[in-house]
Amino acid sequence: MTARALCDVHGWPDSAVTIVTVQTSGDRIQDRALADIGGKALWTKELDRALAEGEIDFAVHSMKDVETLRPAAIRIAAMLPRADVRDKLVGVDSFDALPANPVVGTSSPRRAAQVTRLRPDATITLFRGNVATRLAKLAAGDVHATLLAAAGLDRLGQGDVGVTIPIDTMLPAPSQGAVGIEALVGNDAVLAALAAINDTDTFDCVMAERAVLMGLGGTCHSPIAALALVDGARLHLRAEIISPDGQETVSEEARIDRQDQDAAQAMGRALLDRASPALRSLFEA
Ligand SMILES: NCc1[nH]cc(CCC(=O)O)c1CC(=O)O
């Protein structure tokens, strides 16, 4: 996608961009929750090293997997137009259609808390692995349902899998559905080439959602949802934190200026201020 966009916008031949596949620890380790194996650097460490050593000129990430705090030498240079931000429920047609005491597979603390809020009788079971592995576990009857990002399914040509969950039922993860491209600070030619393919709506929205995370001191242990949508000249920003048992939700909503990351960060702090001590303790701030 990124190579295509670059060649199209700059009139380069297809051969101008060479794709180097870098396997990350996040891809390799499939049997433990991300929270237990060191969090998001799992998807960036190897690509950061390849960037620093000049093996690659830029790195393409699912922004959802990119830590809030990045090394000073690395810049988020561009984002592609955002895909579907929503989650999908796979296995049943609705949360109501689940049997009593359902078993739902996910290892996302956000999805686990949101599912438990909707279905307090649910048991959440750890579910990782790639999409094919998860769908096989579901087909084998290990769980009644699982949740996956619509964007990931669409990109795998599996857009017909599952039922889309409305945003008001399940606010997505910060950065969900966005692809971002990072390059080294100081590599001006590459940064300029990437700037030409940046989708500013996606960039501003995702940066605001990341600022909420910054204000919260959130990690992948933390049940956080945030979504910004362009609303005229401003952003409509929503965020929530949820206790793992689904009993406590603190949410905030505001219209902010497009690049007002301070306001977004303040929203993150406001969520924490209003949370009970138990919920607050899930955050590092
Ligand atoms: N490591 C999880 C991850 N990171 C990005 C995606 C999907 C694409 C996206 O949300 O942008 C997924 C899988 C999922 O949440 O179902």
Side-chain angles (χ1 to χ4, degrees):
M1 282 189 296
T2 302
R4 183 75 269 135
L6 279 170
C7 293
D8 286 351
V9 79
H10 296 294
W12 296 343
D14 287 4
S15 59
V17 181
T18 305
I19 296 175
V20 179
T21 306
V22 176
Q23 211 202 22
T24 64
S25 352
D27 299 321
R28 242 179 347 255
I29 307 170
Q30 299 279 349
D31 58 344
R32 282 170 284 164
L34 301 186
D36 296 335
I37 43 177
K40 288 183 175 174
L42 292 169
W43 269 278
T44 47
K45 220 173 30 209
E46 288 86 356
L47 284 155
D48 289 357
R49 187 200 49 77
L51 264 183
E53 292 176 9
E55 284 169 29
I56 56 174
D57 291 308
F58 57 85
V60 180
H61 294 281
S62 260
M63 284 306 302
K64 198 165 74 173
D65 299 326
V66 175
E67 312 92 277
T68 319
L69 275 175
R70 300 293 289 131
I74 292 177
R75 168 163 322 154
I76 301 170
M79 292 186 206
L80 300 183
R82 200 170 196 176
D84 195 331
V85 299
R86 294 170 295 181
D87 284 313
K88 288 181 109 176
L89 180 64
V90 189
V92 287
D93 286 341
S94 69
F95 288 103
D96 289 338
L98 284 165
N101 307 311
V103 179
V104 177
T106 183
S107 50
S108 146
R110 170 187 63 89
R111 290 176 179 145
Q114 289 170 326
V115 167
T116 309
R117 180 172 62 195
L118 289 162
R119 286 298 301 254
D121 59 336
T123 300
I124 306 296
T125 175
L126 177 73
F127 224 48
R128 275 206 62 222
N130 60 32
V131 169
T133 313
R134 296 193 208 195
L135 295 179
K137 287 185 194 168
L138 176 67
D142 293 4
V143 296
H144 295 107
T146 185
L147 296 125
L148 288 165
L153 287 168
D154 288 344
R155 279 190 210 111
L156 293 168
Q158 305 219 58
D160 55 338
V161 170
V163 177
T164 306
I165 307 168
I167 281 161
D168 291 335
T169 305
M170 217 165 164
L171 196 66
S175 307
Q176 185 152 305
V179 167
I181 306 140
E182 292 189 327
L184 290 181
V185 170
N187 195 344
D188 293 338
V190 168
L191 291 171
L194 292 170
I197 61 165
N198 183 44
D199 184 83
T200 50
D201 284 354
T202 302
F203 193 91
D204 291 347
C205 288
V206 170
M207 289 314 241
E209 295 161 17
R210 290 170 60 82
V212 173
L213 275 182
M214 197 94 75
L216 274 165
T219 70
C220 53
H221 300 264
S222 339
I224 308 166
L227 178 67
L229 296 171
V230 173
D231 180 26
R234 312 187 87 200
L235 301 182
H236 177 200
L237 178 60
R238 275 174 283 184
E240 69 178 13
I241 56 178
I242 319 109
S243 65
D245 64 5
Q247 295 294 301
E248 181 182 355
T249 296
V250 184
S251 49
E252 289 277 343
E253 178 168 9
R255 259 96 185 158
I256 65 168
D257 287 337
R258 285 183 70 125
Q259 266 127 33
D260 193 354
Q261 291 185 22
D262 291 343
Q265 213 168 320
M267 181 180 284
R269 287 192 301 271
L271 288 169
L272 269 193
D273 287 344
R274 292 176 44 222
S276 70
L279 180 52
R280 199 176 309 138
S281 73
L282 299 176
F283 299 84
E284 292 182 329

